[in-house]
Amino acid sequence: MAEKRVAINTGGGDAPGLNAVIRAATLAGISRGWEMFGIRNGYRSMTEEGQRLVPLDRKAVQGITLLGGTILGTANRGNPFEMPFKNEKGEWEIRDESDHLVEEFKNQNLDALIAIGGDGSMHIASKLIKKGIPIVGVPKTIDNDLPETDITLGFDTALSTATEAIDKITTTAEAHERIMVVEVMGRYTGWIALHAGLSSTADVILIPEIPFDFENIVEKIRERAERGRYFTMIVVAEGAVEKNGERHVIGKAVGQAEQLGGVGEYVAKKLNELTGQESRHVVLGHLQRGGSPSSTDRLLSLRLGAEAIRAVSEGDFNKLIVTCGSELKRIPISDIAGKTKSVPLDGDVVQTARDIGICLGD
Ligand code: F6P
């Protein structure tokens, strides 16, 4: 039997770069003579009948670095502590399947788990650690909202996708002299909106960290018109809120996080009413999660995957691999569980936006 049997899990929403982590971790594990496995479709499969683990060998990870998604599959209803099931009446009920998962982990003679995920996955990881599963975490989310790491894998690709899309919409805005509102993802933080908005030279950027006031946006539109610029590009984060207003929520399915959306449409309609100018909205949605990872995300993902194996090899468990400048570091997963990294309002990126005249809605 191999010296170690290690499983890899991809949890929560997919992000470009997941497959590169899987490849690097697999190859780095195999080169140490270990057996590597992937958990199929997230933790849920570990608690159900059927194929739970996918053996990962050289062939399984061939040519996957450049692929979006995850070859293992992922699931939003995969929290083992709050797993939704349909009962005989067809109604959803929540069960704690964590002991079942721990038992299966032991039955499979696994020595370690590499958990690739965002805030939800790290919260689950911190609870599984308490139940005795040795875990190394890898930070993934296009939202870039995990604390203690400069960047999360997937963010760079999402930014490029959003920037390219906003660039294209800008030409239409100018041609039609319209107000165009582009809603981007990011959950409760404005990393994607701010960075993609700045890169694509948007005129207004609305982020959850800065509640917005329509008066200020209208003023910006007027000021542009006075300079002969009769179109306005607005980038709004899905979690942005109006001053004294509420977050735009589409709904919440059992066992899943609430689904945000609708603020782009709201802003476009309201600006049409307030200015009389033709306004349209575009929701970029899951486009931002797909596609081939950028070279920055590929390299980061490969580094994170290999570092995770080095941590397992040293028995340095219950750590999250983070980026700090040009280096990788390991911090306790418990340090970040349940926390969110917001855009710092005193940071230079917000300051840059203000200095070059971008309206942030306040
Ligand atoms: O966390 C990544 C993310 O894409 C968020 O930006 C977004 O709010 C959410 O996931 C959407 O989740 P779902 O794919 O479940 O609709």
Side-chain angles (χ1 to χ4, degrees):
M1 183 137 148
E3 189 204 327
K4 281 194 200 306
R5 286 165 62 87
V6 178
I8 303 173
N9 186 65
T10 49
D14 68 333
L18 284 172
N19 286 322
V21 181
I22 295 167
R23 176 165 171 269
T26 299
L27 295 180
I30 289 173
S31 72
R32 286 167 168 80
W34 302 352
E35 278 183 275
M36 301 297 298
F37 300 91
I39 297 180
R40 204 174 56 87
N41 294 338
Y43 296 130
R44 193 177 186 101
S45 68
M46 291 290 273
T47 66
E48 286 175 342
E49 291 307 314
Q51 193 198 5
R52 295 163 172 143
L53 296 179
V54 183
L56 293 175
D57 54 16
R58 261 177 206 287
K59 196 160 183 347
V61 298
Q62 260 166 19
I64 66 168
T65 304
L66 50 78
L67 300 182
T70 157
I71 58 163
L72 302 178
T74 182
N76 278 352
R77 292 199 168 109
N79 181 349
F81 294 89
E82 289 173 40
M83 208 163 264
F85 288 93
K86 281 223 167 130
N87 62 22
E88 308 83 62
K89 291 184 203 153
E91 296 156 348
W92 285 105
E93 61 179 53
I94 301 284
R95 292 209 296 261
D96 183 347
E97 288 288 311
S98 56
D99 287 337
H100 195 164
L101 171 69
V102 174
E103 193 187 304
E104 196 49 37
F105 185 86
K106 289 183 184 149
N107 287 345
Q108 299 279 355
N109 289 314
L110 292 168
D111 299 290
L113 173 65
I114 296 176
I116 315 171
D119 52 351
S121 301
M122 292 312 137
H123 187 56
I124 294 167
S126 68
K127 288 162 86 176
L128 289 175
I129 288 165
K130 289 192 184 129
K131 287 187 174 262
I133 298 194
I135 295 183
V136 175
V138 172
K140 165 252 38 169
T141 167
I142 63 160
D143 304 335
N144 196 36
D145 60 353
L146 274 191
E148 305 295 339
T149 186
D150 292 346
I151 198 160
T152 54
L153 75 91
F155 177 58
D156 184 72
T157 310
L159 269 189
S160 302
T161 303
T163 302
E164 195 187 334
I166 300 164
D167 285 348
K168 287 182 175 164
I169 295 164
T170 303
T171 55
T172 296
E174 186 161 13
H176 287 261
E177 295 188 338
R178 281 177 179 163
I179 298 168
M180 294 294 284
V181 182
V182 184
E183 180 182 308
V184 298
M185 283 185 163
R187 291 207 73 79
Y188 306 115
T189 65
W191 293 98
I192 298 178
L194 181 63
H195 288 231
L198 248 176
S199 308
S200 58
T201 70
D203 309 298
V204 179
I205 301 174
L206 306 175
I207 60 174
E209 292 84 348
I210 305 176
F212 62 89
D213 197 324
F214 277 106
E215 255 182 45
N216 301 322
I217 306 172
V218 170
E219 180 51 36
K220 176 73 185 174
I221 294 167
R222 268 200 211 112
E223 178 246 310
R224 282 178 57 73
E226 275 167 24
R227 286 191 283 112
R229 303 291 272 166
Y230 297 109
F231 72 98
T232 298
M233 280 302 299
I234 301 178
V235 175
V236 56
E238 61 181 356
V241 275
E242 190 179 354
K243 237 176 236 169
N244 305 317
E246 296 203 345
R247 190 157 273 133
H248 290 251
V249 177
I250 293 173
K252 186 180 178 327
V254 178
Q256 292 191 31
E258 64 182 4
Q259 197 188 342
L260 303 178
V263 66
E265 183 175 11
Y266 171 72
V267 169
K269 278 196 177 145
K270 193 86 186 179
L271 287 175
N272 176 247
E273 274 166 37
L274 293 171
T275 65
Q277 190 176 354
E278 219 182 355
S279 311
R280 294 281 195 280
H281 77 281
V282 178
V283 180
L284 294 190
H286 292 84
L287 193 73
Q288 297 156 94
R289 290 231 302 256
S292 186
S294 64
S295 57
T296 301
D297 267 332
R298 289 183 203 187
L299 181 61
L300 173 65
S301 302
L302 294 167
R303 289 170 67 208
L304 291 169
E307 173 72 3
I309 290 296
R310 290 192 288 273
V312 172
S313 148
E314 291 160 27
D316 192 13
F317 291 118
N318 310 334
K319 298 281 174 63
L320 177 73
I321 316 290
V322 296
T323 62
C324 182
S326 59
E327 285 175 28
L328 297 180
K329 291 197 169 151
R330 301 173 195 165
I331 60 153
I333 290 180
S334 56
D335 281 6
I336 61 121
K339 296 184 191 154
T340 301
K341 179 180 71 179
S342 299
V343 169
L345 297 186
D346 56 356
D348 81 280
V349 185
V350 167
Q351 203 47 56
T352 299
R354 293 195 191 283
D355 282 341
I356 64 177
I358 293 173
C359 167
L360 297 179
D362 60 345

